[in-house]
Amino acid sequence: MFRAIGDVLRQIGSAVATVVTLPFRAVARLFGGASDTAHGRRA
């Protein structure tokens, strides 16, 4: 019983963490790509 509740909470926590970090990753990729092109490097 408690194990099932723990599994559900863990899944919810990981889903929330993914949703929270996605925008930050997108912004980091955006600025990373911009800095790469500004320096003349092509990824």
Side-chain angles (χ1 to χ4, degrees):
M1 177 70 181
F2 289 113
R3 179 186 238 169
I5 294 172
D7 287 340
V8 169
L9 289 176
R10 200 171 298 120
Q11 287 178 343
I12 292 172
S14 67
V16 169
T18 302
V19 170
V20 168
T21 55
L22 269 176
F24 292 107
R25 277 194 229 158
V27 169
R29 183 177 297 171
L30 191 72
F31 282 110
S35 66
D36 282 348
T37 56
H39 290 297
R41 284 181 295 167
R42 187 160 291 189

